Amino acid sequence: MSTTRIVDIAAMPGAQEADERAAELAWRLPAELAPLARIALDYRWSWDPDGAELFRALDPHAWELHARNPVRQLADLTPHLAEIAASHGPTLERIARLQRVLEDDRLRPETPIEGLGGPVCFVCAEFGVHPSLPIYSGGLGALAGDILKAASDLALPVIGVGLLYRKGYFQQRVDRTGLQHEYWTQIMPERLPTVQVRDDGGGPLTLSFPFFGREVAFHVWRAEVGRVPLYLLDAELEENDPLDRWITARLYEGNPLTRLGQYGLLGLGTVRALRALGIEPGVLHFNEGHPALAALELAAEQVAAGTPTDDALAAARDRCVFTTHTPVPAGNETYETSSFLEAFAGLPGRLGIDEARFLDLCRTHQGSDEWPGMTPLALRLSRRANAVSMRHGEVAREMWRPLFGDASADEVPITHVTNGVHLPSFLSPPMRALLDGHLGEGWLDRASDPETWAPVDAIPDEDLWAARNEARRLLVDYVKVKSVQDRLLRGEAPDDVMAVAETFAEDTLTLGFARRIATYKRLFLLTYDPERVRRILADGPPLQLVVAGKAHPLDDNAKQMLVDVFGLSESVGITSRVAFLENYDLSVAPPIVGGCDVWLNVPRPPLEASGTSGMKSAANGGLNLSVLDGWWVEGYDGENGWEIDGHAPEGEDEAGQDARHANALYDLLEQQVIPLFHDRDADGIPRRWLAMVKHSLRTNGPRFSAARMVEEYAARIYPPA
């Protein structure tokens, strides 16, 4: 192994603890299964095509009960089942192969990033790596997880830093009226694929950060995402008072003071953790504004060492980059001024500035009385800033133009790096097998190259259609089981419970709408004209719709949309054609994005910064029908899906836009989508549909892969100016 690596996961803090944890797990297992203990602690197994099945096969029922947690699976494996696996030759061959894959992956040489002498420290409030590590809520977390995975695939020197939420994000239950209810479950990191980092004395590494005039203690945990270590900060310590322990209880906690504590820990705590771990980052990447206080902590260190304040702020700025993810106000929240000042009371003094200047760093309009926020601070103290799609870049430059004085929108220094998705994590098994057979060995290593996808045109229609039918069958089987479980838990009548199970069919055109339920996502457009929707779903050719998503616990408007959709579906008699799948997360998403034929997206423009669920559908051979906003502005070329015009005529209000977009959606379904899907030749093959699928794969596959996205960050955003 090279000694010149910036990031060597086998030698970085927490590595010894991981080896010892693996030894403890292995001790419980037959010798033949012992390698699984080390594999279980590296999430690299999760994007190997055989990884999940290897662990699942040990005890399929327990695998689901354990939320697909490989550490729990091994720790609770009965001696009888362990002996069966240890004597099964094919299982042992699969273990040996996966062990070689993980070892070879770590031995690959590191890919340097120009001008960086230390690692990229990617800091985010949530990471969606795998369902067994439930510290994510939705798109931002899934994207963060994809970035770490792609960085590992590309052998880039990257580490991650986030928070270890002891209750994670909420679990969703929906009652018979469609009203969402939330509950939280306790996370025990000792039973997760994580290890607690120790200090030199062998005890837990214990650090602190200042918050409301007191020191809040925290520990550091480590997870392995392939070659990338992910460090997670945890304030659940006995020496903290109950309010401070709550800082890392729940992701996106509704109380603004608790969120301030989370962002204080994520910002100030990240820098302090890096110092204690002996890691000197080449650049800090703030994924959203939540960690922005890290820049001030860097500057405060310099001031303490004798550097003038302005020079210290400039030096901190040179070490930070920032990605803004949304124009929606909830994603750029501000805080009551006096609470903000009280929460971080010592920080202005450490920086050598007064409270007025401290607040101005966190305001769009300096010298005003507006509440401070993290996004203006991140923009001011980052040497590069980017939006997450071309269209979002335009919106962000106009939105944040006041922060840059007299600059025109074109002069605002916010570029864009369009999001992408980690293909190995989201390709359905049938599509993965098809592309493996036609795109050449190692094609995923070249997924960002359009030439890699050129052989798609030569895939026989029969093979592509068979793969799509199998992916849809897997989805329908999943929907039948999950919808029955969900409806039984709601207390529905037996006839209603079985409606979807008896109606959903594997040969039926399937539409998908699965994403965070927020007002601007406009779920209500799907049932805007109830009678027309009834005709489309019930009177025409067979059609079925899969819906999933969570509304934030405090977003009553979004919750009401879900109630309205339930009510309208029942009133017009289409409940057997619509399946709402509860508790949308990383375990529910893959079968939906893998199996749906058409992905619906109807956000209110220009509020969709990017969107990644449609990218996942496209990679699986689904076709997008979307408002022209976010990533679809770049993805749509007139022949690879369908678009709803995102530009508003002068004077059009939101009600008028809703009516226009709903009618456009229904027109496209009735006049183009449904007829094209059912246009078959004598062999029953929809040749024109498959031609559009191939064009979508060829155009969107390379352009919206996480590999392309992370390569852009490494080439354009991370190198020094």
Coordinates of all heavy atoms in Angstrom, one line a residue, residues 60-106:
P60 N -33.2 -14.7 6.0 CA -34.0 -13.7 5.3 C -35.0 -12.9 6.2 O -35.2 -11.7 6.0 CB -34.7 -14.5 4.2 CG -33.9 -15.7 4.0 CD -33.3 -16.0 5.3
H61 N -35.7 -13.6 7.1 CA -36.6 -12.9 7.9 C -36.0 -11.9 8.8 O -36.4 -10.8 9.0 CB -37.4 -14.0 8.7 CG -38.5 -13.4 9.6 ND1 -39.5 -12.7 9.1 CD2 -38.6 -13.4 11.0 CE1 -40.3 -12.2 10.1 NE2 -39.8 -12.7 11.2
A62 N -34.9 -12.3 9.5 CA -34.2 -11.4 10.4 C -33.6 -10.2 9.6 O -33.5 -9.1 10.2 CB -33.0 -12.2 11.1
W63 N -33.2 -10.4 8.4 CA -32.6 -9.3 7.6 C -33.5 -8.2 7.5 O -33.1 -7.0 7.7 CB -32.2 -9.9 6.2 CG -31.6 -8.9 5.3 CD1 -32.1 -8.4 4.1 CD2 -30.3 -8.2 5.4 NE1 -31.2 -7.6 3.5 CE2 -30.1 -7.4 4.3 CE3 -29.3 -8.3 6.4 CZ2 -28.9 -6.7 4.1 CZ3 -28.2 -7.5 6.2 CH2 -28.0 -6.7 5.1
E64 N -34.8 -8.4 7.3 CA -35.8 -7.3 7.2 C -36.1 -6.8 8.6 O -36.2 -5.6 8.8 CB -37.1 -7.8 6.6 CG -36.9 -8.2 5.1 CD -36.3 -7.2 4.2 OE1 -36.6 -6.0 4.5 OE2 -35.5 -7.5 3.3
L65 N -36.2 -7.6 9.6 CA -36.4 -7.2 11.0 C -35.3 -6.3 11.5 O -35.5 -5.4 12.3 CB -36.6 -8.4 11.9 CG -37.9 -9.2 11.8 CD1 -37.9 -10.4 12.8 CD2 -39.1 -8.4 12.0
H66 N -34.1 -6.6 11.1 CA -32.9 -5.8 11.5 C -32.7 -4.6 10.6 O -31.6 -4.0 10.7 CB -31.7 -6.7 11.5 CG -31.7 -7.8 12.5 ND1 -31.0 -9.0 12.3 CD2 -32.4 -7.9 13.7 CE1 -31.3 -9.8 13.3 NE2 -32.1 -9.1 14.2
A67 N -33.7 -4.2 9.8 CA -33.5 -3.1 8.9 C -32.3 -3.2 8.0 O -31.6 -2.2 7.7 CB -33.5 -1.7 9.6
R68 N -32.0 -4.5 7.6 CA -30.8 -4.7 6.7 C -29.5 -4.3 7.3 O -28.6 -3.9 6.6 CB -31.1 -4.1 5.3 CG -32.4 -4.5 4.8 CD -32.7 -3.9 3.4 NE -34.1 -4.1 3.0 CZ -34.6 -3.8 1.8 NH1 -33.8 -3.1 0.9 NH2 -35.9 -4.0 1.5
N69 N -29.4 -4.4 8.6 CA -28.2 -4.1 9.3 C -27.3 -5.3 9.4 O -27.6 -6.3 10.1 CB -28.5 -3.6 10.7 CG -27.3 -3.3 11.6 OD1 -26.2 -3.6 11.2 ND2 -27.6 -2.7 12.7
P70 N -26.1 -5.3 8.7 CA -25.3 -6.6 8.7 C -24.7 -6.9 10.0 O -24.4 -8.1 10.3 CB -24.2 -6.2 7.6 CG -24.1 -4.7 7.6 CD -25.5 -4.3 7.9
V71 N -24.4 -5.9 10.8 CA -23.8 -6.2 12.2 C -24.9 -6.9 13.0 O -24.5 -7.9 13.7 CB -23.4 -4.9 12.8 CG1 -23.0 -5.1 14.3 CG2 -22.2 -4.3 12.1
R72 N -26.1 -6.4 13.0 CA -27.2 -7.2 13.7 C -27.4 -8.5 13.2 O -27.6 -9.5 13.9 CB -28.5 -6.4 13.7 CG -28.6 -5.1 14.5 CD -28.8 -5.5 16.0 NE -29.9 -6.3 16.2 CZ -31.2 -5.9 16.4 NH1 -31.4 -4.6 16.3 NH2 -32.1 -6.8 16.6
Q73 N -27.3 -8.7 11.9 CA -27.5 -10.0 11.2 C -26.5 -11.0 11.7 O -26.8 -12.1 12.0 CB -27.4 -9.8 9.7 CG -27.8 -11.1 8.9 CD -29.3 -11.3 8.8 OE1 -30.0 -10.8 9.6 NE2 -29.7 -12.0 7.7
L74 N -25.2 -10.6 11.8 CA -24.2 -11.5 12.3 C -24.3 -11.7 13.8 O -24.1 -12.8 14.3 CB -22.8 -10.9 11.9 CG -22.5 -10.8 10.4 CD1 -21.1 -10.3 10.2 CD2 -22.7 -12.1 9.7
A75 N -24.5 -10.6 14.6 CA -24.6 -10.8 16.0 C -25.7 -11.7 16.5 O -25.6 -12.4 17.5 CB -24.7 -9.4 16.6
D76 N -26.8 -11.7 15.8 CA -28.0 -12.4 16.2 C -28.2 -13.7 15.4 O -29.2 -14.4 15.6 CB -29.3 -11.6 16.0 CG -29.3 -10.4 17.0 OD1 -28.4 -10.3 17.8 OD2 -30.1 -9.5 16.8
L77 N -27.2 -14.1 14.6 CA -27.3 -15.3 13.8 C -27.3 -16.5 14.7 O -26.4 -16.6 15.5 CB -26.2 -15.3 12.8 CG -26.3 -16.4 11.7 CD1 -27.5 -16.2 10.8 CD2 -25.0 -16.5 10.9
T78 N -28.3 -17.4 14.6 CA -28.3 -18.5 15.5 C -27.2 -19.5 15.1 O -26.8 -19.6 13.9 CB -29.7 -19.2 15.4 OG1 -29.8 -19.8 14.0 CG2 -30.8 -18.3 15.7
P79 N -26.7 -20.3 16.0 CA -25.7 -21.3 15.7 C -26.1 -22.2 14.6 O -25.3 -22.6 13.8 CB -25.4 -22.0 17.1 CG -25.8 -21.0 18.1 CD -27.0 -20.2 17.5
H80 N -27.4 -22.6 14.6 CA -27.8 -23.6 13.6 C -27.7 -23.0 12.2 O -27.2 -23.6 11.3 CB -29.3 -23.9 13.9 CG -29.9 -24.8 12.9 ND1 -29.5 -26.1 12.6 CD2 -30.9 -24.5 12.0 CE1 -30.2 -26.6 11.6 NE2 -31.1 -25.6 11.2
L81 N -28.2 -21.7 12.0 CA -28.1 -21.1 10.7 C -26.7 -20.8 10.3 O -26.3 -20.9 9.2 CB -29.0 -19.8 10.7 CG -30.5 -20.0 10.8 CD1 -31.2 -18.7 10.8 CD2 -31.0 -20.8 9.6
A82 N -25.9 -20.5 11.3 CA -24.4 -20.2 11.0 C -23.8 -21.5 10.5 O -23.0 -21.4 9.6 CB -23.8 -19.7 12.3
E83 N -24.1 -22.6 11.1 CA -23.4 -23.8 10.7 C -23.9 -24.2 9.3 O -23.1 -24.7 8.5 CB -23.8 -25.0 11.7 CG -23.0 -24.8 13.0 CD -21.5 -24.8 12.8 OE1 -21.0 -25.5 11.9 OE2 -20.8 -24.2 13.6
I84 N -25.2 -24.0 9.0 CA -25.7 -24.2 7.6 C -24.9 -23.4 6.6 O -24.5 -23.9 5.6 CB -27.2 -23.9 7.5 CG1 -28.0 -25.0 8.4 CG2 -27.7 -23.9 6.1 CD1 -29.5 -24.7 8.4
A85 N -24.8 -22.1 6.9 CA -24.0 -21.2 5.9 C -22.6 -21.7 5.8 O -22.0 -21.6 4.7 CB -24.1 -19.8 6.4
A86 N -22.0 -22.0 7.0 CA -20.5 -22.4 7.0 C -20.2 -23.6 6.2 O -19.1 -23.9 5.8 CB -20.0 -22.5 8.4
S87 N -21.2 -24.5 6.0 CA -21.1 -25.7 5.3 C -21.6 -25.7 3.8 O -21.6 -26.7 3.1 CB -21.7 -26.9 6.0 OG -23.1 -26.7 6.1
H88 N -22.0 -24.4 3.4 CA -22.6 -24.3 2.1 C -21.5 -23.7 1.1 O -21.2 -22.5 1.2 CB -23.8 -23.3 2.1 CG -24.6 -23.2 0.9 ND1 -24.8 -22.0 0.2 CD2 -25.1 -24.2 0.1 CE1 -25.5 -22.2 -0.9 NE2 -25.7 -23.5 -1.0
G89 N -21.0 -24.5 0.2 CA -19.9 -24.1 -0.6 C -20.2 -22.8 -1.4 O -19.3 -21.9 -1.4
P90 N -21.3 -22.7 -2.1 CA -21.6 -21.4 -2.8 C -21.5 -20.2 -1.9 O -21.0 -19.1 -2.4 CB -23.0 -21.6 -3.4 CG -23.1 -23.1 -3.6 CD -22.4 -23.7 -2.4
T91 N -22.0 -20.3 -0.7 CA -21.9 -19.2 0.2 C -20.5 -18.8 0.5 O -20.1 -17.6 0.5 CB -22.7 -19.5 1.5 OG1 -24.1 -19.6 1.3 CG2 -22.5 -18.4 2.6
L92 N -19.7 -19.8 0.8 CA -18.3 -19.5 1.1 C -17.5 -18.9 -0.1 O -16.7 -18.0 0.1 CB -17.6 -20.8 1.5 CG -18.2 -21.5 2.8 CD1 -17.4 -22.7 3.1 CD2 -18.3 -20.5 3.9
E93 N -17.9 -19.3 -1.3 CA -17.3 -18.7 -2.5 C -17.7 -17.3 -2.6 O -16.9 -16.4 -3.0 CB -17.8 -19.5 -3.8 CG -17.2 -20.9 -3.8 CD -17.8 -21.7 -5.0 OE1 -18.6 -21.1 -5.8 OE2 -17.4 -22.9 -5.1
R94 N -19.0 -17.0 -2.3 CA -19.4 -15.6 -2.4 C -18.7 -14.7 -1.4 O -18.4 -13.6 -1.6 CB -20.9 -15.5 -2.2 CG -21.7 -16.2 -3.3 CD -23.1 -16.5 -2.9 NE -24.0 -15.3 -2.9 CZ -25.2 -15.4 -2.5 NH1 -25.8 -16.5 -2.0 NH2 -26.0 -14.3 -2.5
I95 N -18.5 -15.3 -0.2 CA -17.8 -14.5 0.9 C -16.4 -14.2 0.4 O -15.9 -13.1 0.6 CB -17.8 -15.3 2.2 CG1 -19.2 -15.4 2.8 CG2 -16.8 -14.7 3.2 CD1 -19.3 -16.3 4.0
A96 N -15.7 -15.2 -0.1 CA -14.3 -15.0 -0.6 C -14.2 -14.0 -1.7 O -13.3 -13.2 -1.7 CB -13.7 -16.4 -1.1
R97 N -15.2 -14.0 -2.6 CA -15.2 -13.1 -3.7 C -15.4 -11.7 -3.2 O -14.7 -10.7 -3.6 CB -16.3 -13.4 -4.7 CG -16.2 -12.5 -6.0 CD -17.6 -12.5 -6.7 NE -18.6 -11.8 -6.0 CZ -18.7 -10.5 -6.0 NH1 -17.9 -9.7 -6.7 NH2 -19.7 -9.9 -5.3
L98 N -16.4 -11.5 -2.3 CA -16.6 -10.1 -1.8 C -15.5 -9.6 -0.9 O -15.1 -8.4 -1.0 CB -17.9 -10.1 -0.9 CG -18.5 -8.8 -0.5 CD1 -18.6 -7.8 -1.7 CD2 -19.8 -8.9 0.3
Q99 N -14.8 -10.5 -0.2 CA -13.7 -10.1 0.6 C -12.6 -9.6 -0.4 O -11.9 -8.6 -0.1 CB -13.2 -11.3 1.4 CG -12.0 -11.0 2.3 CD -11.5 -12.2 3.1 OE1 -11.7 -13.3 2.7 NE2 -10.9 -11.9 4.2
R100 N -12.3 -10.3 -1.5 CA -11.3 -9.8 -2.4 C -11.7 -8.5 -3.0 O -10.8 -7.6 -3.2 CB -11.2 -10.9 -3.6 CG -10.5 -12.1 -3.1 CD -10.0 -13.0 -4.4 NE -11.2 -13.3 -5.2 CZ -11.9 -14.4 -5.1 NH1 -11.6 -15.2 -4.1 NH2 -12.9 -14.7 -5.9
V101 N -13.0 -8.3 -3.3 CA -13.4 -7.0 -3.9 C -13.1 -5.9 -3.0 O -12.6 -4.9 -3.4 CB -15.0 -7.1 -4.2 CG1 -15.5 -5.7 -4.5 CG2 -15.3 -8.0 -5.4
L102 N -13.4 -6.0 -1.7 CA -13.2 -5.0 -0.7 C -11.7 -4.7 -0.5 O -11.2 -3.6 -0.5 CB -13.9 -5.3 0.6 CG -15.3 -4.7 0.7 CD1 -16.2 -5.4 -0.3 CD2 -15.8 -5.0 2.1
E103 N -10.9 -5.8 -0.5 CA -9.5 -5.6 -0.3 C -8.8 -5.0 -1.5 O -8.0 -4.1 -1.4 CB -8.8 -7.0 0.0 CG -9.2 -7.6 1.4 CD -8.7 -9.0 1.6 OE1 -8.2 -9.6 0.6 OE2 -8.7 -9.5 2.7
D104 N -9.2 -5.5 -2.7 CA -8.6 -4.9 -3.9 C -9.0 -3.4 -4.0 O -8.2 -2.6 -4.5 CB -9.1 -5.7 -5.1 CG -8.5 -7.1 -5.2 OD1 -7.5 -7.3 -4.4 OD2 -9.0 -7.9 -6.0
D105 N -10.2 -3.1 -3.6 CA -10.7 -1.7 -3.7 C -9.8 -0.8 -2.9 O -9.5 0.3 -3.3 CB -12.1 -1.6 -3.3 CG -12.8 -0.3 -3.5 OD1 -12.8 0.2 -4.7 OD2 -13.2 0.4 -2.6
R106 N -9.4 -1.2 -1.7 CA -8.6 -0.4 -0.8 C -7.2 -0.3 -1.3 O -6.4 0.6 -1.0 CB -8.6 -0.9 0.6 CG -10.0 -0.8 1.2 CD -10.0 -1.1 2.7 NE -11.3 -0.8 3.3 CZ -11.4 -0.7 4.6 NH1 -10.4 -0.9 5.5 NH2 -12.6 -0.4 5.1

